Amino acid sequence: MSSKRLDQFLADAMDITRKEAKAMLRQGRVKIEPAPGTVKPETKINDSSTVTVDGQIVSEPEEHVYYLLNKPAGYVSATEDSRDHTVLELLPPQKRRKLFPVGRLDKDTTGLLLLTDDGALAHELLSPEKHVDKTYEAAVRGIMTDEDIKAFAEGIDIGEEKPTLPAKLEILSSCEEGCRIRLTIQEGKFHQVKRMVSAVGKEVISLKRISMGKLKLPEGLAEGQYMKIQL
Ligand code: URA
């Protein structure tokens, strides 16, 4: 924190108005260590100040919080749902405050999901104009071919107004009964990966997101686990 007026600090940290903060000051409930000459609304405080109200230390809230979640199947990417468990329920209640998932993974999709309270960052990652890469690994019923690689690179018709933007398909393992693929897309249309695979006559059996922009799913993060990150 750079230096800040005391009334503003209290308002930000306690989610109160500056008027309410000033009232607390008048009531003598606020103390600062190291003690400045006087404790006024305009008194400047900084990183080395400890502010207490009624003897309780008040700390500035963290700016924004970011959790990387390895979403398990069976949870919906929502903050509330009347029928299903939501991804937020994977965090303890005291951590859920104002968090939301950045974008949606289908209920049966696993893997990387960012939970945050940072609306501006969510917009950056989700805005269609930004073309943020999202990479998925999938098990597919049917045999993906070099023609599919070409078709995905050129863009295919999935029943939207326009074809999909160029996508990178890698065939990780090919076999008679099914393949494992890695697919990087620049958009986030509803069921996009499943619809792209279906458009070339195959079917996604399981789907996992492994990255989104610079964010990568950490190898050691098991399904259902989350970790706090700094952005
Ligand atoms: N594409 C899909 O089909 N499903 C997802 O959950 C994400 C991308």
Side-chain angles (χ1 to χ4, degrees):
M1 176 211 337
S2 48
S3 75
K4 202 177 210 186
R5 282 174 60 115
L6 177 59
D7 56 350
Q8 189 63 60
F9 168 84
L10 289 169
D12 293 343
M14 300 179 72
D15 217 7
I16 57 175
T17 62
R18 277 171 60 192
K19 197 170 164 200
E20 287 167 327
K22 284 178 185 154
M24 283 180 171
L25 288 164
R26 276 195 306 276
Q27 291 154 6
R29 295 166 60 195
V30 183
K31 305 262 180 296
I32 307 178
E33 286 293 335
T38 49
V39 177
K40 297 196 218 146
E42 60 273 24
T43 301
K44 293 279 193 204
I45 56 156
N46 56 39
D47 285 336
S48 54
S49 318
T50 302
V51 179
T52 57
V53 172
D54 302 331
Q56 299 291 318
I57 294 180
V58 178
S59 7
E60 191 158 51
E62 292 172 87
E63 294 262 287
H64 284 298
V65 284
Y66 307 92
Y67 292 99
L68 272 192
L69 171 71
N70 186 352
K71 177 190 171 299
Y75 287 77
V76 292
S77 304
T79 51
E80 285 176 18
D81 196 278
S82 53
R83 268 192 329 198
D84 288 308
H85 288 296
T86 72
V87 288
L88 280 189
E89 291 172 37
L90 293 160
L91 269 68
Q94 70 275 16
K95 290 203 168 118
R96 289 180 205 160
R97 228 185 104 222
K98 294 187 186 162
L99 292 183
F100 58 87
V102 177
R104 279 170 193 274
L105 291 178
D106 297 338
K107 186 174 164 186
D108 59 354
T109 300
T110 61
L112 183 136
L113 189 61
L114 180 68
L115 305 176
T116 185
D117 56 355
D118 185 347
L121 180 92
H123 178 72
E124 282 286 304
L125 287 169
L126 297 177
S127 164
E129 293 87 53
K130 305 278 179 187
H131 298 181
V132 173
D133 280 348
K134 290 136 208 121
T135 300
Y136 296 85
E137 287 185 358
V140 170
R141 183 172 294 126
I143 300 172
M144 302 293 287
T145 61
D146 288 348
E147 284 81 68
D148 297 333
I149 296 180
K150 195 156 165 278
F152 282 12
E154 284 168 0
I156 56 164
D157 180 6
I158 57 167
E160 298 277 330
E161 241 174 65
K162 290 182 185 168
T164 53
L165 289 175
K168 184 178 173 197
L169 171 64
E170 295 163 82
I171 300 172
L172 302 177
S173 70
S174 172
C175 59
E176 287 306 307
E177 293 300 316
C179 310
R180 287 204 64 79
I181 61 163
R182 186 179 297 135
L183 179 60
T184 302
I185 58 175
Q186 307 177 42
E187 306 152 284
K189 296 201 165 32
F190 185 59
H191 294 332
Q192 183 160 344
V193 174
K194 291 173 185 166
R195 286 161 72 198
M196 287 175 75
V197 170
S198 154
V200 294
K202 288 103 196 181
E203 189 193 349
V204 168
I205 299 168
S206 68
L207 185 61
K208 174 182 186 175
R209 181 156 66 191
I210 56 167
S211 70
M212 182 176 191
K214 289 188 196 132
L215 303 173
K216 310 251 175 295
L217 184 67
E219 288 216 343
L221 195 65
E223 281 181 20
Q225 286 188 342
Y226 58 89
M227 61 185 273
K228 196 168 186 189
I229 57 165
Q230 303 288 334
L231 287 180

